[in-house]
Amino acid sequence: MTTHKLPDAERVSALHGLPGWQNVKDRDAISRNFKFQDFNTAFGFMARVALKAEQMNHHPEWFNVYNRVEVVLTTHDAKGVSALDIEMARFMDELAGQ
Amino acid sequence: MTTHKLPDAERVSALHGLPGWQNVKDRDAISRNFKFQDFNTAFGFMARVALKAEQMNHHPEWFNVYNRVEVVLTTHDAKGVSALDIEMARFMDELAGQ
């Protein structure tokens, strides 16, 4: 039941609580760019997210170069942003300490 | 000394030995798309590459979604493809078993 697409009002409300995240243009998805001290810290973040992703069976799309990690979250089964994406976004923000 | 840009002949020769890799359009870089069984296998590959990257102090640009990893290699200090990129490409191919 958590994989249905969030109603607009819930999504707006959830994004209010996730100030670093924004809607992706031309896709039903949300994104955030993280910047870390160095590659070690960036990949450490990715490793912790990867374990969480396996646990949730919900995986990010992400690009990394050195200390930057650019994340896009969407739920294919829901054809849009679901509660799983909000949960993952919150988890990432907690890890990144922001 | 390994960070100088490879002369064309050396690059062509090296790419002959790396059939999965190709030159990137509009950039002095090489790329390859890897496809794995699942996220677990893809991220396992990334983790092993990350350790190698720290050891070499030479880091890939990469995008991952589920079982796919799209890699771009270039050497910023050399403003192009250097022996470090060839070494990293070979390492990735070995890991990926191809």
Side-chain angles (χ1 to χ4, degrees), chain B residues 75-90:
Chain B
T75 304
H76 289 279
D77 290 348
K79 295 192 174 71
V81 172
S82 77
L84 290 174
D85 300 304
I86 301 303
E87 182 182 345
M88 180 60 93
R90 285 187 184 131

Side-chain angles (χ1 to χ4, degrees), chain B residues 4-96:
Chain B
H4 70 267
K5 183 175 163 171
L6 281 186
D8 284 350
E10 282 184 43
R11 177 165 169 169
V12 168
S13 165
L15 282 178
H16 263 291
L18 295 165
W21 293 80
Q22 50 196 315
N23 291 307
V24 176
K25 207 179 159 186
D26 301 329
R27 283 186 67 186
D28 196 330
I30 56 174
S31 72
R32 177 168 179 186
N33 297 338
F34 294 91
K35 199 167 184 176
F36 299 92
Q37 204 168 7
D38 50 26
F39 177 78
N40 187 301
T41 319
F43 198 81
F45 167 83
M46 292 176 75
R48 297 185 70 186
V49 170
L51 297 177
K52 175 75 168 176
E54 281 291 84
Q55 191 185 46
M56 290 175 69
N57 193 27
H58 186 61
H59 303 88
E61 298 178 26
W62 45 9
F63 171 82
N64 159 246
V65 57
Y66 197 59
N67 64 336
R68 287 192 292 120
V69 182
E70 301 174 8
V71 179
V72 171
L73 298 178
T74 188
T75 304
H76 289 279
D77 290 348
K79 295 192 174 71
V81 172
S82 77
L84 290 174
D85 300 304
I86 301 303
E87 182 182 345
M88 180 60 93
R90 285 187 184 131
F91 179 79
M92 288 183 173
D93 280 5
E94 268 176 40
L95 276 190

Side-chain angles (χ1 to χ4, degrees), chain A residues 9 19 31 33 38 51 56 58 62 64-65 70-72 93-94:
Chain A
S31 72
N33 297 338
D38 49 26
L51 298 177
M56 290 176 69
H58 186 61
W62 47 8
N64 160 245
V65 56
E70 300 174 9
V71 180
V72 171
D93 281 5
E94 269 176 40

Side-chain angles (χ1 to χ4, degrees), chain A residues 21 32-53 60-64 66-73 88-98, chain B residues 39 43 50:
Chain A
W21 293 80
R32 177 167 179 187
N33 297 338
F34 293 91
K35 199 167 184 177
F36 299 92
Q37 205 167 7
D38 49 26
F39 177 77
N40 186 301
T41 318
F43 198 82
F45 167 83
M46 292 176 74
R48 297 185 69 186
V49 170
L51 298 177
K52 175 76 168 176
E61 297 177 27
W62 47 8
F63 171 81
N64 160 245
Y66 198 59
N67 64 336
R68 287 192 292 119
V69 183
E70 300 174 9
V71 180
V72 171
L73 299 177
M88 180 59 94
R90 285 187 185 133
F91 179 79
M92 288 183 174
D93 281 5
E94 269 176 40
L95 276 189
Q98 285 159 311
Chain B
F39 177 78
F43 198 81

